[in-house]
Amino acid sequence: MNPEILVLFTVGTSASGKSTWAQDLGKRFPHLQIAILERDQLRREQYGKSHDTAFSWTDWDVGQESEIQKQWVERLHDLLSADVLVLADTHIDPEQLTREASLLCEMGVREMALQYFPAQPLVELIRKDQSRSYPVGAAVLREQIQRLQPQDAYWQALEAAETSCAKLKA
């Protein structure tokens, strides 16, 4: 593990530009080793193991999410040697963000931050979503907009994890 690694959480709805932003980081900072971990990529890989067709959210078996979580933790361990690790998922649930940050803290990660993608108009998100390879659909986007909280809620979740971890180490 790189003791100086910076872990960046993305927070935002589907189709808000999180993955594009993460991929652009590597272009903007070529001198840094930047790794990206996305659960959606893991889902596509898992889906491909048992299907001859392209990934589809309507065909995705949510019962496989526990396996995706296991794979995510395994890949997380593998990527902690990077300079920057971007966890490019929605992270709309602050409690889930706290759990992930706590896990990273327990692994020895000291520097964590987030990149917040504010809610965009539903019509704009639907337009962007429809042009993606794996659209989630209007109903999911609408639900995500409703669940997205102000940026401060996510910073507080990150700080809560860091405080909790510091107490455990003391």
Side-chain angles (χ1 to χ4, degrees):
M1 184 186 126
N2 175 359
E4 302 299 320
I5 189 170
L6 169 63
V7 175
L8 296 171
F9 293 88
T10 59
V11 176
T13 65
S14 298
S16 63
K18 299 177 305 297
S19 296
T20 302
W21 174 84
Q23 292 164 4
D24 286 347
L25 273 183
K27 296 172 190 165
R28 291 178 41 216
F29 302 100
H31 60 286
L32 293 175
Q33 181 186 2
I34 299 175
I36 301 169
L37 181 56
E38 294 179 83
R39 281 189 175 83
D40 285 352
Q41 179 62 36
L42 298 175
R43 289 178 183 109
R44 289 190 293 272
E45 291 170 10
Q46 183 72 15
Y47 184 87
K49 291 177 185 176
S50 57
H51 295 80
D52 292 331
T53 59
F55 178 83
S56 165
W57 281 108
T58 55
D59 294 335
W60 174 247
D61 177 7
V62 296
Q64 293 191 34
E65 287 299 319
S66 62
E67 176 61 27
I68 295 302
Q69 179 63 19
K70 288 179 197 172
Q71 291 176 21
W72 184 86
V73 171
E74 289 172 9
R75 294 256 180 109
L76 188 63
H77 283 283
D78 295 341
L79 297 172
L80 290 177
S81 61
D83 296 318
V84 177
L85 173 58
V86 180
L87 301 177
D89 294 316
T90 58
H91 293 111
I92 289 177
D93 179 359
E95 291 176 9
Q96 177 66 25
L97 178 66
T98 299
R99 286 190 296 273
E100 289 181 17
S102 295
L103 174 63
L104 285 159
C105 187
E106 291 168 13
M107 293 176 166
V109 174
R110 295 189 310 249
E111 298 295 328
M112 292 179 265
L114 60 87
Q115 178 65 38
Y116 184 78
F117 295 79
Q120 298 173 26
L122 179 59
V123 173
E124 180 65 16
L125 287 174
I126 292 170
R127 184 189 63 75
K128 289 178 182 180
D129 185 53
Q130 289 174 344
S131 67
R132 299 185 323 153
S133 300
Y134 312 102
V136 297
V140 170
L141 292 168
R142 187 174 23 257
E143 185 261 335
Q144 289 177 350
I145 289 171
Q146 291 171 345
R147 290 183 45 222
L148 187 65
Q149 297 182 27
Q151 185 173 350
D152 286 348
Y154 301 102
W155 281 108
Q156 289 170 6
L158 203 54
E159 290 168 7
E162 291 170 342
T163 300
S164 174
C165 190
K167 287 179 183 177
L168 289 175
K169 291 180 179 181

